[in-house]
């Protein structure tokens, strides 16, 4: 691979300008075709994701790229290199969305790849190895199927057979059924076969909008991600107490499930604050706290439900919250006369990003004149699946307004252009 000075000199000669107009047009089209009220909905292994993949395929073919899909539906759009046998460089993200979500989460990474490759082609750049823009399937599986990264893990040979039987939350049909309905082969994943390996893939880069306010608050357009957090999650937690009359039941006789759950939420929030004061970096979210349909006015809640999501790049930080949970639950049960059912636990392992690619991205940002910083990701991303499979992986964040997983995502195209410039300069080094 070329060194930093060679990259800068060659980049200057080639005038590496990503095709941001192409991406802007695609952002507009994919939004219009998946609009769901104020936001967008692109269902994992469903019509919305299918439409977005078809749009990406059309534009890639128009650019003269080689286009193919793997047995689980991931899309590969390839700029051939001189040595077709050399390990490829992959970049991309996903095209599905959460229900009534934003237009940029995921799609920005795929469109940045196409914009960068289009710019390289216009500049006359021929890579030494294949550059592949990848559109993964079902990264937002948490909103559709109770599993993580089924598209990318299916390509990496890491999707377990039992995961193919989980059911999509809106349809009640299995992941395998949805794959087959879209024309793909879940048996490929069930057998543990692989499309992508450390032997045939040199690197994976994912550009993504930042899903929080840090870059916008600090007025920095781009960040190089240091790591993707691991998680421990409770999706089906319950608190069982006793329904009773709200006027006729004194406090000492109550078994109030809602108050017991509220007490647990406050206790874990306080534990989070203590851990942060000791230098831990983590997030603790009660995604839902609810009484059941039987609750109503003049009733003491006899049942409450919750979902808990704890994340950190440092597994010890996550474990500390669950240790506090294990201490607090029996205390609250004894004091409130209730019973907690935590349900099955799910989660994912933390994934540090590759130090070599991060250094290359820093050089690329300097060469492109793009202000940047380093930061950890708060959310999970396909890059974690690649890292877990032994493929060097890294991420770029682009500044975004109004958060993510909501209709108000508001990435500025000038910030996107800065991210694309870093990608293009990095590709010149990584694939040159």
């Amino acid at each position: 691979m070329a060194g930093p000075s060679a990259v800068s000199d060659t980049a200057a000669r080639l005038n590496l300008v990503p095709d941001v107009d192409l991406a802007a047009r695609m952002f507009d089209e994919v939004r219009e075709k998946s609009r769901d009220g104020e936001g967008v909905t692109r269902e994992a292994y469903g019509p919305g994701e299918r439409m977005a993949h078809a749009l990406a395929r059309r534009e890639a073919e128009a650019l003269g790229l080689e286009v193919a899909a793997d047995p689980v539906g991931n899309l590969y759009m390839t700029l051939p290199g001189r040595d077709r046998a050399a390990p490829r460089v992959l970049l991309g993200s996903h095209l599905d969305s959460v229900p009534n979500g934003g237009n940029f989460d995921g799609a920005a990474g795929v469109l940045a790849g196409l914009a960068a490759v289009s710019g390289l082609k216009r500049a006359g750049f021929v890579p030494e190895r294949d550059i592949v823009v990848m559109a993964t399937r079902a990264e937002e599986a948490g909103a559709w199927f109770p599993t993580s990264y089924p598209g990318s893990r299916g390509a990496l040979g890491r999707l377990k057979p039992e995961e193919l039987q989980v059911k999509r939350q809106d349809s009640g049909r299995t992941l395998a059924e949805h794959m087959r309905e879209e024309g793909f082969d879940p048996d490929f994943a069930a057998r543990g076969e692989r499309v992508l390996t450390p032997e045939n893939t040199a690197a994976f880069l994912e550009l993504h909008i930042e899903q929080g306010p840090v870059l916008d608050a600090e007025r920095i357009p781009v960040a190089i991600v240091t790591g993707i957090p691991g998680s421990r999650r409770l999706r089906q937690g319950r608190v069982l107490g006793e329904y009773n009359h709200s006027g006729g039941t004194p406090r000492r006789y109550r078994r109030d499930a809602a108050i017991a759950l509220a007490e647990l939420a406050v206790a874990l929030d306080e534990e989070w604050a203590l851990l942060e004061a000791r230098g831990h970096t983590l997030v603790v979210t009660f995604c839902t706290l609810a009484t059941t349909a039987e609750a109503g006015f003049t009733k003491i809640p006899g049942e409450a439900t919750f979902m808990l999501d704890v994340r950190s790049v440092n597994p010890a930080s996550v474990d500390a919250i669950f240790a506090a949970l294990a201490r607090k639950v029996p205390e609250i049960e004894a004091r409130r006369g209730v019973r907690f059912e935590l349900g099955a636990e799910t989660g994912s392992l933390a994934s540090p990003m590759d130090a070599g690619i991060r250094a290359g991205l820093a050089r690329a940002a300097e060469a492109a004149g793009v202000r940047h910083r380093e930061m950890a990701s708060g959310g999970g991303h396909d890059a974690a699946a690649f890292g877990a499979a032994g493929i060097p992986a890294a991420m770029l964040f682009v500044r975004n307004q109004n958060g993510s997983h909501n209709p108000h995502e508001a990435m500025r195209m000038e910030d996107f252009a800065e991210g694309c410039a870093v990608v293009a300069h990095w590709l010149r080094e990584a694939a040159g």
Side-chain angles (χ1 to χ4, degrees):
M1 293 185 185
S5 60
V7 172
S8 300
D9 293 345
T10 306
R13 291 199 304 273
L14 288 174
N15 189 27
L16 298 182
V17 180
D19 191 353
V20 177
D21 289 341
L22 167 67
R25 176 169 52 78
M26 292 180 70
F27 276 128
D28 288 344
E29 183 174 353
V30 76
R31 183 198 300 274
E32 285 306 309
K33 289 183 175 179
S34 57
R35 191 179 293 278
D36 180 12
E38 194 172 4
V40 302
T41 296
R42 298 192 280 267
E43 311 93 320
Y45 287 108
E49 187 181 58
R50 182 195 318 145
M51 173 278 299
H53 275 244
L55 190 157
R57 175 185 284 272
R58 183 195 74 199
E59 295 297 331
E61 289 174 344
L63 289 174
L65 305 182
E66 296 177 358
V67 182
D70 68 24
V72 295
N74 301 299
L75 186 66
Y76 304 88
M77 299 163 279
T78 302
L79 176 63
R82 290 189 175 93
D83 182 358
R84 302 304 305 273
R88 70 196 92 179
V89 172
L90 277 177
L91 67 157
S93 192
H94 61 98
L95 290 171
D96 62 324
S97 78
V98 301
N100 197 32
N103 197 44
F104 303 114
D105 184 337
V110 179
L111 273 55
L114 290 174
V117 167
S118 177
L120 291 173
K121 280 179 62 70
R122 290 193 306 192
F125 172 70
V126 179
E128 292 301 318
R129 62 184 72 222
D130 287 1
I131 296 174
V132 183
V133 181
M134 182 180 182
T136 64
R137 287 273 177 169
E139 193 272 350
E140 297 291 6
W144 302 102
F145 301 95
T147 188
S148 299
Y149 322 126
S152 54
R153 289 198 297 122
L156 294 161
R158 298 174 67 85
L159 187 63
K160 298 175 183 177
E162 57 268 27
E163 291 178 279
L164 291 161
Q165 301 309 312
V166 300
K167 295 182 178 180
R168 208 173 84 177
Q169 295 169 26
D170 62 336
S171 71
R173 290 182 289 119
T174 66
L175 174 57
E177 288 173 325
H178 276 280
M179 281 187 179
R180 285 196 179 92
E181 187 174 86
E182 294 298 309
F184 305 121
D185 180 15
D187 294 335
F188 175 89
R191 293 190 298 268
E193 295 187 53
R194 299 184 292 172
V195 176
L196 304 174
T197 69
E199 292 72 36
N200 66 24
T201 306
F204 176 77
L205 174 64
E206 182 173 8
L207 180 144
H208 202 280
I209 58 170
E210 187 204 356
Q211 295 176 288
V214 176
L215 293 178
D216 199 46
E218 297 185 3
R219 300 182 179 180
I220 298 173
V222 168
I224 298 168
V225 176
T226 57
I228 295 172
S231 66
R232 293 179 66 178
R233 292 167 169 169
L234 301 175
R235 297 172 183 263
Q236 296 175 318
R238 294 202 304 164
V239 188
L240 300 175
E242 182 179 70
Y243 287 100
N244 220 321
H245 193 285
S246 64
T249 311
R251 186 176 186 276
R252 65 183 178 275
Y253 297 119
R254 294 184 176 217
R255 297 170 57 202
D256 190 323
I259 292 296
L261 177 54
E263 186 174 345
L264 178 65
V266 170
L268 294 192
D269 185 67
E270 290 174 346
E271 185 70 18
W272 179 13
L274 290 173
L275 288 168
E276 282 197 330
R278 296 176 195 147
H280 292 255
T281 301
L282 71 159
V283 291
V284 181
T285 308
F286 277 85
C287 304
T288 63
L289 298 111
T291 52
T292 60
E294 191 176 341
F297 196 67
T298 77
K299 280 188 176 182
I300 298 165
E303 183 177 349
T305 63
F306 66 95
M307 295 182 179
L308 175 64
D309 182 6
V310 184
R311 308 186 193 194
S312 177
V313 174
N314 180 6
S317 300
V318 178
D319 292 343
I321 290 294
F322 270 73
L325 175 75
R327 292 193 308 271
K328 296 294 182 181
V329 161
E331 294 174 6
I332 297 169
E333 286 178 328
R335 184 164 51 251
R336 299 282 179 185
V338 300
R339 177 166 56 89
F340 280 80
E341 292 182 354
L342 301 182
E345 181 182 324
T346 61
S348 60
L349 297 175
S351 180
M353 295 290 90
D354 183 79
I357 303 179
R358 285 166 50 195
L361 290 170
R363 291 192 295 270
E366 293 295 332
V370 175
R371 293 179 60 239
H372 62 283
R373 58 160 288 177
E374 286 197 331
M375 65 183 296
S377 172
H381 302 280
D382 282 311
F386 283 86
I391 293 173
M395 290 193 73
L396 273 180
F397 276 169
V398 173
R399 174 170 47 182
N400 172 51
Q401 293 72 47
N402 306 326
S404 182
H405 285 193
N406 72 75
H408 307 296
E409 290 174 4
M411 180 188 69
R412 300 186 186 101
M413 289 307 294
E414 56 265 33
D415 293 333
F416 178 74
E418 299 261 53
C420 290
V422 176
V423 171
H425 281 76
W426 176 77
L427 285 171
R428 176 61 188 88
E429 176 178 342

